[in-house]
Amino acid sequence: MNMHELSAAELLTRYADGSLSPVEVTQAVIQHIEAREPTLHALYAFDPDKALAQARASEARWRRGEALPLDGVPLTLKENIASAGTPVPLGTAATLLQPATEDAPPAARMREDGAVLLGKTTMPDYGMLSSSLSSFHPLTRNPWDTSKTPGGSSAGAGAAAAAGYGPMHLGTDIGGSVRLPAGWCGVFGLKPSLGRIPIKPPYAGRVAGPMTRTVQDAALMMRTLSRPDWRDTMSLPPQAIDWLDLQRDVRGLRVGLLMDAGWGLPVEPETAAAVQAAARLFEQAGARVEPMQAFSTRAMIDGLDRFWRVRSWLDIEALPAERRTKVLPYIRAWTAGGATIGAAELFHGHAQMAALRDAAVAACQPFDFVLSPVSPVPAFAAELASPLNDPERPFEHIAFTLPYNMSEQPAATINCGYTAAGLPIGLQVIGHRFDDLGVLQVCAAFEQMRPAQRAWPG
């Protein structure tokens, strides 16, 4: 196996026994990135010299017997996770580029534990799309089929993980932005409970989450990322969680299977077949799998859409005219609807977010875990903003992911099959609020149950 393909767990073992060094691994990953990046365009602020300097410092710590928990493991961060000295464009040409003055909490934790930051990963304007379309970044492409999108808004992170740009990648998620690209790129992605990973700025539904090729590597990242940081005013209190305890017997678990979200695009047949086959594997392993009824409604989503249109319209309208015109036209068209929404309609829209939260928690309550598709459709054309490419119908493909941002529940995606064209299909695993470890454990169990995976594309 090539060095750029090794997992974080394997690298730490090899560093400890001296059979590999952080410097030679970082050099190998940089070489691989330089070969693939002209096609994939997954990175922003890629800095090989800084990465090698970090790797040399890591190598010295290993030699002194002072290695840190993730020392020398290559890492990328989504560009909206601030790292000191690097501008944060937020995916849009409308942003004035100024170096960040400090590391955001996730960047700080990973740096404290010795990870080697290769660079940042791309995203669409303001993270508002489930594709890689951006007015600032080049178009990021899916390594499995470069005519397709990797998804978004953690677009570059999904592509980088699938292509082997090292083992550890960190995205953010407010409606599916970790799970959708992870699902469409065939990698593992965890959207943790709100507040589990401190982040800045925090707001309703927003989380950071690991995107890796293995569940174990995500667990290693969670061990670091879940440490407290006072700057996140919505963060959870510290908890003694053994993140690396991934053993879980699924026998006797009551598992819900949600195949109808209640709204949005219908689940296409290949996706439905792959998710149902995954559910049968759980049954064969002794879990009780039961159909789950749809719980979210069009009224909930229309209300949420109105609220976020107004919020985003206010942000964009506040920009000077010359910067406002640089925002992606699709985003401008979507936010324009916020200009005519009155206070009462806005209030009722916000109330629908709470209604969706209550409905999701109630629907999941009878089950230990819930399974569903991540997306009703596989990866679509890279040049499109969304599967429908219609700013008046922007959310039709996120009906299975969005509810768990509002309900603050942990939800992960793990590959469960491929389309006839060879595109990955994601299985979503949802747990009760705060049971992030349980979700990791169930995904680790499925990792052992599922058929052999195809060779990685990168």
Side-chain angles (χ1 to χ4, degrees), residues 250-443:
V250 303
R251 284 179 296 181
L253 290 179
R254 189 178 180 192
V255 176
L257 177 60
L258 181 66
M259 296 302 299
D260 177 6
W263 61 280
L265 293 172
V267 180
E268 59 86 31
E270 288 182 305
T271 297
V275 171
Q276 289 162 344
R280 287 194 294 273
L281 291 177
F282 277 93
E283 284 185 315
Q284 292 165 14
R288 291 180 295 146
V289 178
E290 305 171 28
M292 180 174 169
Q293 298 303 308
F295 59 83
S296 59
T297 67
R298 175 61 63 181
M300 294 172 182
I301 303 317
D302 287 348
L304 182 146
D305 183 21
R306 287 192 292 272
F307 173 81
W308 286 102
R309 281 187 198 233
V310 172
R311 183 186 188 277
S312 301
W313 176 76
L314 290 171
D315 288 343
I316 291 174
E317 279 298 299
L319 296 173
E322 66 275 11
R323 289 170 55 196
R324 196 182 315 139
T325 59
K326 294 181 179 180
V327 177
L328 198 69
Y330 181 102
I331 299 299
R332 295 205 312 271
W334 174 68
T335 59
T340 58
I341 293 173
E345 195 177 6
L346 176 63
F347 175 83
H348 290 303
H350 187 269
Q352 289 299 320
M353 294 166 62
L356 179 56
R357 172 196 177 105
D358 292 346
V361 170
C364 293
Q365 189 57 36
F367 305 103
D368 297 305
F369 298 92
V370 170
L371 307 178
S372 82
V374 173
S375 165
V377 296
F380 51 94
E383 292 78 14
L384 301 183
S386 69
L388 296 179
N389 207 38
D390 180 357
E392 293 307 310
R393 301 178 68 198
F395 297 153
E396 302 303 297
H397 58 294
I398 65 172
F400 287 102
T401 53
L402 177 62
Y404 309 107
N405 293 84
M406 299 303 103
S407 68
E408 305 181 10
Q409 294 170 253
T413 177
I414 186 166
N415 192 59
C416 67
Y418 305 87
T419 67
L423 295 173
I425 297 170
L427 171 72
Q428 185 171 217
V429 178
I430 303 108
H432 291 294
R433 193 174 175 217
F434 310 134
D435 190 17
D436 306 73
L437 180 60
V439 169
L440 286 173
Q441 290 171 334
V442 168
C443 289

Side-chain angles (χ1 to χ4, degrees), residues 4 25 113 133 144 216-218 224 281 316 320 337 382 413 422 430:
H4 70 266
V25 168
D113 278 3
L133 208 59
W144 293 91
Q216 184 182 24
D217 279 1
T224 292
L281 291 177
I316 291 174
T413 177
I430 303 108

